[in-house]
């Protein structure tokens, strides 16, 4: 080798040894976790990431109209039941919710019940002091008030009262109706169309003695399968015409007038009638002139 190159090499080594150097430690690369370790590292409790649901915000959220009307229906049913049991005094909204076990309803539902739902309901009556009571069809307290109402219905010719309306309006109605029926004060009649019972006042002064033979004849005649036209035909054959003025009358259509067959006469115009004489003389003059020509 060239001696000059060897000298330069020796000088380079000496210089390299004389200059201090700092070595950087290599960072140890961590091994990648396996699939099983990744699964274990994920949180198993999913509720920590999901937002917590509040029961009040859930019940008053959008689409909860079915829940609100369910609360209202439960209140109306409870108020009706307590009225039929004799508890007719009014209650506040908080007392009603307490008795129906619905104290967990939200503030929006309470506001809706207080200002709209209970006030506008036909079965609930609102008092001036902000309380609510059941609103029955008839104001009945006991069987005496019921008997008085039936007498008024009979005197005015308004007919009877449905039994279900009496049961809704009168507290302890079953007991009162049983006593009145045993005293022969009322009469129950079942309507054939819907099988609903109607309650009438039994006016004993209007009862008349009827001969037993007439009763037998009356019961022996069966007219269930006959309509009014057949009954009228049978009575007409027997020479009885007293039924003609009874029953619903059929509407008679008004007769239409036939158009007349008279010939139309053409009427001359009536204008310038005051010049009729002048026109006649003028026509005569023109005729004479033509004849002379």
């Amino acid at each position: 080798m060239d001696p000059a190159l060897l000298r330069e090499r020796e000088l380079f080594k000496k210089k390299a040894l004389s200059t201090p150097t700092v070595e950087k430690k290599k960072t140890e690369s961590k091994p990648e976790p396996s699939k099983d370790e990744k699964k274990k590292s994920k949180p198993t409790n999913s509720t920590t990431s999901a937002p917590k649901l509040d029961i009040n915000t859930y019940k008053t959220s959008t689409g909860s109209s079915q829940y609100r009307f369910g609360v209202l229906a439960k209140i109306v049913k409870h108020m009706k039941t307590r009225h039929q049991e004799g508890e007719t005094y009014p209650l506040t909204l908080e007392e009603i919710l307490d008795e129906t076990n619905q104290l967990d309803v939200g503030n929006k539902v309470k506001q809706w019940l207080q200002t709209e739902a209970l006030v506008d309901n036909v079965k609930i009556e609102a008092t001036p002091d902000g309380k609510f009571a059941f609103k029955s069809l008839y104001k009945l307290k006991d069987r005496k008030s019921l008997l008085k109402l039936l007498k008024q219905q009979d005197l005015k010719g308004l007919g009877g009262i449905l039994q279900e309306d009496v049961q809704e309006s009168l507290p302890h109605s079953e007991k009162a109706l049983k006593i009145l029926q045993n005293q022969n004060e009322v009469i129950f009649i079942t309507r054939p169309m819907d099988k609903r019972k109607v309650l009438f006042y039994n006016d004993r002064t209007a009862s008349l003695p009827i001969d037993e033979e007439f009763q037998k004849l009356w019961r022996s005649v069966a007219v269930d399968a006959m309509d009014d036209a057949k009954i009228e035909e049978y009575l007409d054959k027997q020479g009885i015409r007293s039924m003609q003025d009874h029953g619903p009358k059929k509407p008679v259509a008004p007769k239409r007038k036939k158009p007349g067959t008279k010939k139309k006469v053409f009427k001359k115009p009536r204008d310038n009638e005051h010049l009729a004489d002048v026109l006649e003389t003028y026509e005569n003059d023109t005729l004479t002139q033509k004849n002379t020509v």
Side-chain angles (χ1 to χ4, degrees):
M1 291 182 65
D2 189 0
L5 292 175
L6 291 173
R7 285 194 299 270
E8 287 180 2
R9 180 171 177 274
E10 292 294 333
L11 290 172
F12 179 78
K13 285 183 178 180
K14 290 178 180 180
K15 189 176 180 179
L17 292 171
S18 63
T19 56
T21 58
V22 179
E23 294 181 0
K24 291 183 180 180
K25 294 183 179 180
K26 294 181 180 181
T27 57
E28 295 180 357
S29 60
K30 295 182 180 180
E32 293 182 0
S34 61
K35 292 182 179 179
D36 296 334
E37 291 178 353
K38 287 182 179 180
K39 290 181 180 179
K40 291 180 180 179
S41 63
K42 290 182 180 179
T44 56
N45 190 5
S46 61
T47 58
T48 56
S49 61
K52 293 183 179 180
L53 293 176
D54 186 8
I55 189 169
N56 293 326
T57 57
Y58 171 73
K59 289 181 178 179
T60 57
S61 60
T62 57
S64 61
S65 60
Q66 185 177 1
Y67 168 76
R68 293 193 300 172
F69 284 104
V71 173
L72 177 62
K74 194 173 182 180
I75 289 174
V76 174
K77 185 178 180 180
H78 174 72
M79 297 297 287
K80 178 181 177 180
T81 304
R82 68 185 296 272
H83 177 83
Q84 292 174 344
E85 292 175 354
E87 299 178 2
T88 57
Y89 55 90
L91 298 175
T92 62
L93 179 60
E94 293 295 332
E95 292 173 343
I96 294 171
L97 293 175
D98 187 13
E99 291 187 1
T100 55
N101 298 323
Q102 299 185 107
L103 288 173
D104 58 342
V105 297
N107 293 327
K108 290 184 179 180
V109 179
K110 289 181 181 180
Q111 184 70 16
W112 175 71
L113 291 171
Q114 184 77 36
T115 58
E116 297 180 23
L118 294 177
V119 175
D120 298 336
N121 196 285
V122 294
K123 292 296 182 180
I124 300 296
E125 182 179 2
T127 59
D129 55 351
K131 296 183 178 181
F132 302 97
F134 182 72
K135 186 178 182 181
S136 57
L137 185 60
Y138 302 103
K139 298 293 183 180
L140 302 175
K141 296 180 180 180
D142 48 17
R143 67 174 185 273
K144 291 182 180 180
S145 59
L146 173 60
L147 192 61
K148 184 179 179 181
L149 176 63
L150 291 173
K151 286 182 180 179
Q152 293 294 326
Q153 292 281 112
D154 183 64
L155 290 174
K156 295 179 181 180
L158 299 177
I161 301 173
L162 288 172
Q163 184 182 5
E164 58 189 33
D165 293 338
V166 176
Q167 291 173 347
E168 181 184 283
S169 304
L170 179 62
H172 307 290
S173 59
E174 296 297 333
K175 183 179 178 180
L177 291 174
K178 189 175 182 180
I179 293 173
L180 292 176
Q181 193 174 10
N182 293 335
Q183 293 177 355
N184 202 17
E185 295 285 349
V186 295
I187 300 173
F188 289 94
I189 294 178
T190 304
R191 294 196 304 195
M193 60 183 73
D194 53 5
K195 305 300 180 183
R196 298 167 76 182
K197 289 185 178 181
V198 185
L199 191 63
F200 291 90
Y201 172 67
N202 186 15
D203 190 1
R204 301 176 187 176
T205 60
S207 60
L208 299 173
I210 300 174
D211 192 8
E212 292 183 0
E213 293 184 1
F214 183 78
Q215 293 181 13
K216 291 179 181 179
L217 290 172
W218 179 268
R219 292 166 183 168
S220 63
V221 178
V223 293
D224 294 339
M226 299 178 65
D227 55 3
D228 293 339
K230 291 182 179 179
I231 294 173
E232 186 177 356
E233 183 181 355
Y234 173 79
L235 294 175
D236 192 20
K237 289 180 180 179
Q238 300 297 326
I240 302 172
R241 297 184 178 179
S242 61
M243 293 293 291
Q244 291 181 353
D245 297 333
H246 298 278
K249 295 182 179 180
K250 296 180 180 179
V252 180
K255 294 182 179 180
R256 295 183 179 180
K257 294 182 179 180
K258 295 181 180 180
T261 56
K262 294 181 180 179
K263 294 181 179 180
K264 292 183 179 180
V265 179
F266 179 75
K267 294 182 179 180
K268 295 180 180 180
R270 296 182 179 180
D271 296 338
N272 299 330
E273 289 183 354
H274 60 287
L275 299 175
D277 298 335
V278 177
L279 291 172
E280 288 181 359
T281 54
Y282 177 75
E283 289 176 356
N284 294 332
D285 293 340
T286 51
L287 288 171
T288 52
Q289 290 177 0
K290 286 180 180 179
N291 294 328
T292 55
V293 174

